[in-house]
Amino acid sequence: MRNKFADVIFEIGQKNEKICALVADISPAGSMVKFQEQFPERFINTGVAEQSMIGIAAGMALRGMRPFCYTIATFSLYRPFEIIRVDLCYQNLPVTIVGMGAGLIYSTLGSTHHSMEDIAIATALPNMQVMAPCDPDEMRLATEWCANKSQNPTYMRLGKAGEPNLTNKAEKFEFGKIRYLSKGDDFAVISYGVTVKLAFELKKKLENIGNTVSVISCHTIKPLDRRGILDMLNKHKKVIVLEEMIPTGGLSSLVTEISLSNNIVNKLKCFTLKDEFIKFYGS
C-alpha cells in the first residue's frame, strides 16, 4: 500500500498543481522520488521534525495548496498532536495526514512504533475526518477523494506493503458510507484497514459450517455511517467487529453504542487489542 500511495500521489500531482507532499525523515522511494524530482517546489522533507511538517502544511493550505503529510503513523499523529489540533483542526484546513504502517505492522520495532490508539485520538479531534482503506484499490479512491473533494483535515491510516486487493466485487466507494465487499444473511464481519483481510479469513471458516457472511469495509470511521451500521445490525443474525486498536474509542466502541442505543442486544461480538502496551512480540 505504501508504494501504491506514492504512485497515486505522483499521478494526482501531475494533474493538480496544488498537490504537495511533505515527509518527515522518510527516504523517498519509487514514485515519491519522481514527485520530488519533477515537483521540487511541492516536496519537502523536514527530517525528524514532525511538528514543523504539520505547521508548514497548514501554511501551504492557507495559501490554497492541498498538502499530504506522510510518515510512520506513530510519528505523523502522536508527536505533532498539538500542532494538528491547533493548526489544522482549529482552522479546519484540508490537509491529509497519512499514517503509514499503522496498527502493529512495525511489530519488531516495539511500542514506540505501534499505533494502537490512533483511531481513538484522531476521531476525538473536532473537524478531523478519519479514513482507513483496506487495500491498494480502496486507498486510491480515498486518496483521490482527499486530494480533490475534502474540505477538512483528514487522518488516513495505511498499511505498509503486500496487502492484497479485496474490493474487486465491492459496492461503489463513497466517503462516509460503509462498503459491502460481500453479502450474506447470517453473519456480518465489519472492519477497516489491513484487518479486513482477517475478515475474509473468518468468512471462509464461517461459510465452511453453513453460514452466509457479509464482509464490510468501514473505510470512513469519522464521519461514521451510523445509519448503515444500524441497518447492518438489523439485517444480520450476528455481527462481528475486528479492529487492530485498543478496546475504547474505536469502531468497536462506536458500533456497541449504536447497538445498545437502539436496544439491539446479543448480536454483537468485538475483537480488539488489549488495553496495554505490547512488550512481547515477533515478526
PDB file of all heavy atoms in Angstrom, residues 74 117 165 176 210 232 252 258 283:
ATOM      1  N   THR A  74       2.864   6.471  13.997  1.00  0.00           N
ATOM      2  CA  THR A  74       3.067   6.998  15.350  1.00  0.00           C
ATOM      3  C   THR A  74       3.665   8.397  15.324  1.00  0.00           C
ATOM      4  O   THR A  74       3.357   9.231  16.178  1.00  0.00           O
ATOM      5  CB  THR A  74       3.987   6.079  16.169  1.00  0.00           C
ATOM      6  OG1 THR A  74       5.148   5.769  15.403  1.00  0.00           O
ATOM      7  CG2 THR A  74       3.285   4.805  16.570  1.00  0.00           C
ATOM      8  N   GLU A 117      -3.579   3.375  19.343  1.00  0.00           N
ATOM      9  CA  GLU A 117      -4.569   4.308  19.873  1.00  0.00           C
ATOM     10  C   GLU A 117      -4.936   5.384  18.865  1.00  0.00           C
ATOM     11  O   GLU A 117      -5.646   6.335  19.174  1.00  0.00           O
ATOM     12  CB  GLU A 117      -4.040   5.009  21.145  1.00  0.00           C
ATOM     13  CG  GLU A 117      -3.200   4.134  22.067  1.00  0.00           C
ATOM     14  CD  GLU A 117      -1.701   4.209  21.758  1.00  0.00           C
ATOM     15  OE1 GLU A 117      -1.342   4.467  20.583  1.00  0.00           O
ATOM     16  OE2 GLU A 117      -0.893   4.011  22.672  1.00  0.00           O
ATOM     17  N   ASN A 165      -5.524  -7.137  -2.885  1.00  0.00           N
ATOM     18  CA  ASN A 165      -6.742  -6.439  -3.270  1.00  0.00           C
ATOM     19  C   ASN A 165      -7.956  -7.268  -2.866  1.00  0.00           C
ATOM     20  O   ASN A 165      -8.048  -8.454  -3.186  1.00  0.00           O
ATOM     21  CB  ASN A 165      -6.761  -6.178  -4.779  1.00  0.00           C
ATOM     22  CG  ASN A 165      -5.993  -4.935  -5.151  1.00  0.00           C
ATOM     23  OD1 ASN A 165      -6.104  -3.913  -4.478  1.00  0.00           O
ATOM     24  ND2 ASN A 165      -5.197  -5.009  -6.207  1.00  0.00           N
ATOM     25  N   GLY A 176     -17.731   8.329   3.802  1.00  0.00           N
ATOM     26  CA  GLY A 176     -18.725   8.414   4.865  1.00  0.00           C
ATOM     27  C   GLY A 176     -19.751   7.299   4.861  1.00  0.00           C
ATOM     28  O   GLY A 176     -20.700   7.340   5.658  1.00  0.00           O
ATOM     29  N   GLY A 210     -21.649 -23.658   7.170  1.00  0.00           N
ATOM     30  CA  GLY A 210     -23.019 -23.469   6.699  1.00  0.00           C
ATOM     31  C   GLY A 210     -23.610 -22.081   6.813  1.00  0.00           C
ATOM     32  O   GLY A 210     -24.831 -21.920   6.674  1.00  0.00           O
ATOM     33  N   MET A 232     -27.067  -2.678   9.118  1.00  0.00           N
ATOM     34  CA  MET A 232     -26.275  -3.909   9.200  1.00  0.00           C
ATOM     35  C   MET A 232     -26.666  -4.722  10.429  1.00  0.00           C
ATOM     36  O   MET A 232     -26.855  -5.952  10.350  1.00  0.00           O
ATOM     37  CB  MET A 232     -24.788  -3.564   9.253  1.00  0.00           C
ATOM     38  CG  MET A 232     -23.860  -4.727   9.530  1.00  0.00           C
ATOM     39  SD  MET A 232     -22.200  -4.192  10.032  1.00  0.00           S
ATOM     40  CE  MET A 232     -22.538  -3.527  11.686  1.00  0.00           C
ATOM     41  N   SER A 252     -15.185  -0.520  17.481  1.00  0.00           N
ATOM     42  CA  SER A 252     -15.896  -1.411  18.405  1.00  0.00           C
ATOM     43  C   SER A 252     -16.775  -0.618  19.369  1.00  0.00           C
ATOM     44  O   SER A 252     -17.946  -0.954  19.588  1.00  0.00           O
ATOM     45  CB  SER A 252     -14.900  -2.259  19.193  1.00  0.00           C
ATOM     46  OG  SER A 252     -14.162  -3.088  18.331  1.00  0.00           O
ATOM     47  N   ILE A 258     -24.124   2.209  19.083  1.00  0.00           N
ATOM     48  CA  ILE A 258     -25.287   2.189  18.185  1.00  0.00           C
ATOM     49  C   ILE A 258     -26.190   1.009  18.516  1.00  0.00           C
ATOM     50  O   ILE A 258     -27.424   1.137  18.554  1.00  0.00           O
ATOM     51  CB  ILE A 258     -24.818   2.138  16.718  1.00  0.00           C
ATOM     52  CG1 ILE A 258     -24.091   3.446  16.340  1.00  0.00           C
ATOM     53  CG2 ILE A 258     -25.998   1.892  15.775  1.00  0.00           C
ATOM     54  CD1 ILE A 258     -23.371   3.389  15.013  1.00  0.00           C
ATOM     55  N   SER A 283       8.178 -11.134  14.573  1.00  0.00           N
ATOM     56  CA  SER A 283       7.910 -10.700  13.207  1.00  0.00           C
ATOM     57  C   SER A 283       6.584 -11.311  12.729  1.00  0.00           C
ATOM     58  O   SER A 283       6.068 -12.230  13.359  1.00  0.00           O
ATOM     59  CB  SER A 283       9.037 -11.139  12.287  1.00  0.00           C
ATOM     60  OG  SER A 283       9.147 -12.548  12.274  1.00  0.00           O
TER      61      SER A 283
END
